[in-house]
Amino acid sequence: MEQITIFHKIRDKQIPADVVYEDDEVLAFKDIHPKAPTHLLFIPKHFVASVAELTPETAHLPGMLILKAQKFAAQQGIAGYKLTFHVGKEGGQEVPYLHLHFLAEQVLE
Ligand code: AMP
């Protein structure tokens, strides 16, 4: 059975988050414990636990998240940023719901 994580609840609007971008495929919100002046998390609306759980059917999701982050950065005028996927507990992943960390020194307007 699919384990319900905090990101399911944010996706389903059961708990609040500081959402900065949303469309049919993705939700992006501010990380509650930012590690850079701008620290966002991009999650797919379609649940996958981790990069380690990807299959041929879901392998497009990380690329889709990266493209959304790229478009978001361009729209916001953020010239440079870091993108990270943590994979598994041993890789520093606390929330077992695929997410892309977006970190930038530039503050979001
Ligand atoms: P990870 O360690 O890759 O699983 O990252 C999970 C991230 O989610 C951490 O950076 C947390 O600070 C962040 N986080 C946890 N709970 C929330 C929340 N309710 N709203 C926003 N960010 C959260």
Side-chain angles (χ1 to χ4, degrees):
M1 209 176 77
E2 187 170 318
Q3 185 198 338
I4 301 301
T5 70
I6 194 149
F7 291 175
H8 285 83
K9 293 180 182 169
I10 289 174
R11 179 196 67 185
D12 298 341
K13 310 287 159 58
Q14 290 166 357
I15 64 165
D18 200 342
V19 173
V20 297
Y21 178 79
E22 180 169 16
D23 64 25
D24 288 349
E25 295 177 309
V26 70
L27 185 70
F29 50 93
K30 292 186 181 174
D31 194 296
I32 206 164
H33 298 303
K35 292 178 183 63
T38 295
H39 186 173
L40 310 175
L41 301 169
F42 285 75
I43 67 168
K45 295 241 168 129
H46 179 86
F47 172 75
V48 174
S50 156
V51 165
E53 306 293 323
L54 291 173
T55 64
E57 287 71 39
T58 54
H60 62 285
L61 291 174
M64 183 274 287
L65 294 178
I66 290 169
L67 264 183
K68 302 285 182 181
Q70 178 220 64
K71 286 207 179 90
F72 180 83
Q75 277 164 2
Q76 297 293 326
I78 298 176
Y81 44 90
K82 294 176 186 169
L83 301 176
T84 312
F85 289 100
H86 295 160
V87 186
K89 272 188 193 152
E90 293 79 2
Q93 185 179 4
E94 291 168 13
V95 181
Y97 190 122
L98 182 71
H99 54 280
L100 175 66
H101 289 265
F102 177 104
L103 297 110
E105 293 305 313
Q106 214 168 312
V107 178
L108 203 56
E109 301 266 317

